[in-house]
Amino acid sequence: MNRRAPQSFPAAKPAAATSVPSTAAPSTARAAAPDGDAHILVSGLGVRRAERWLFRDLNLTVPRGAFVAVVGPSGAGKSTLLACLAGALTPGEGEIRLRERSGRLVAPEQCRSRIGCVFQRLLLVENSSVLANVLCGRLGRHRWWQTLFGAPRAEREAAFAIAADLGLAPHTHRWVAELSGGEQQRTAIARALFQEPDLYLADEPISNLDTYLTGRVLGRLRQEATQQGRTVFCVLHDPTLVDRFADLVVSIDPNDPHGWRIRPVRR
């Protein structure tokens, strides 16, 4: 069996910029950026569920600040791929390396504090306020005794500003258990944004949101990528949203573990 070479793509550009032409198969894409400029390096990745491989020999090189849409039918392995990138799941084969700002390559589990996750299980503290949940995004920056009397005022103001930007200003002092599904989802997104990670992993972060809030959330993640150089992996189902916000698309085929495809988005 021939392994496909890892695919490299040029550094991400703002949504209005022209990207490289789309290609149907990753094996035809030409390397456009050296691995030394990459943020995420995936090599020969494979994950098996029971007797079935979800994907195998997945190779990908992603520049820092790219917005990567992960697509495919339900059960194809999209959430599994994000779990591997988060260091929460050990793949059956292959490896993942993340390049820190210093240039050092590390495994995902070595830099979890620099990965912001919004998974389908939101993992919110339901008997705590929206603001307290958002503030949890930076708990890893402080020693335990530094938070005994609450977060610093500047951080509380910053957390409130992010929550307000996502339409949560009227709810910041309400318990999470009192919120709707969409409000809880936005709380989890606000927590990740407040964390200011190097890598965002968002698994269907807009599943409970209306059209306006969908654009608001994805626009904010896109802004994080283009303006702050933070890489985004986001599971999406709507092709229109993929074309509007993504730089790259990773497509997983549920019928063929080697049938994954990677393509740049043409604008």
Side-chain angles (χ1 to χ4, degrees):
M1 183 183 299
N2 293 326
R3 285 181 175 267
R4 305 186 209 191
Q7 301 305 298
S8 301
F9 293 90
K13 298 179 179 180
T18 301
S19 62
V20 296
S22 174
T23 180
S27 58
T28 63
R30 301 290 294 176
D35 287 355
D37 295 336
H39 182 198
I40 312 295
L41 297 99
V42 178
S43 177
L45 196 69
V47 174
R48 186 172 183 172
R49 179 185 295 165
E51 298 301 317
R52 181 172 73 93
W53 286 94
L54 297 178
F55 47 81
R56 296 194 75 179
D57 294 324
L58 177 58
N59 299 292
L60 178 63
T61 302
V62 178
R64 188 176 298 277
F67 190 121
V68 183
V70 183
V71 303
S74 297
K78 303 182 299 296
S79 298
T80 299
L81 175 58
L82 263 61
C84 291
L85 290 167
L89 177 66
T90 302
E93 57 187 22
E95 67 175 14
I96 298 171
R97 291 292 181 265
L98 281 63
R99 190 180 306 279
E100 296 184 321
R101 299 276 180 175
S102 65
R104 185 172 68 114
L105 287 174
V106 297
E109 53 268 25
Q110 294 177 275
C111 59
R112 284 177 176 155
S113 64
R114 304 305 303 159
I115 301 175
C117 299
V118 183
F119 289 149
Q120 294 185 41
R121 288 186 60 200
L122 300 175
L123 302 177
L124 297 170
V125 182
E126 294 192 352
N127 62 343
S128 189
S129 71
V130 168
L131 187 61
N133 272 271
V134 176
L135 285 165
C136 285
R138 292 187 188 174
L139 280 180
R141 300 188 185 186
H142 304 290
R143 300 182 185 275
W144 65 269
W145 51 267
Q146 292 177 309
T147 60
L148 286 177
F149 301 103
R153 179 176 179 179
E155 290 203 351
R156 293 178 64 85
E157 291 176 349
F160 179 86
I162 292 173
D165 189 50
L166 297 180
L168 292 169
H171 310 297
T172 51
H173 298 294
R174 292 178 60 192
W175 279 19
V176 167
E178 301 173 343
L179 303 181
S180 69
E183 290 163 347
Q184 290 185 3
Q185 196 166 42
R186 280 180 283 152
T187 300
I189 294 164
R191 178 184 60 194
L193 290 169
F194 184 66
Q195 182 183 345
E196 297 182 332
D198 288 332
L199 171 64
Y200 288 98
L201 302 173
D203 192 353
E204 300 187 39
I206 56 170
S207 58
N208 294 315
L209 305 185
D210 60 27
T211 302
Y212 170 77
L213 289 172
T214 290
R216 191 75 174 172
V217 166
L218 293 181
R220 184 62 189 264
L221 289 174
R222 177 73 196 180
Q223 186 179 50
E224 289 288 294
T226 57
Q227 296 186 9
Q228 304 299 330
R230 296 170 181 147
T231 306
V232 178
F233 275 74
C234 185
V235 174
L236 294 172
H237 290 284
D238 187 336
T240 302
L241 296 176
V242 171
D243 290 341
R244 180 180 173 188
F245 293 101
D247 300 302
L248 304 172
V249 182
V250 176
S251 177
I252 301 176
D253 186 344
N255 300 313
D256 179 5
H258 294 94
W260 50 268
R261 294 289 183 270
I262 304 164
R263 66 173 178 86
V265 174
R266 172 181 290 176
R267 290 192 177 88

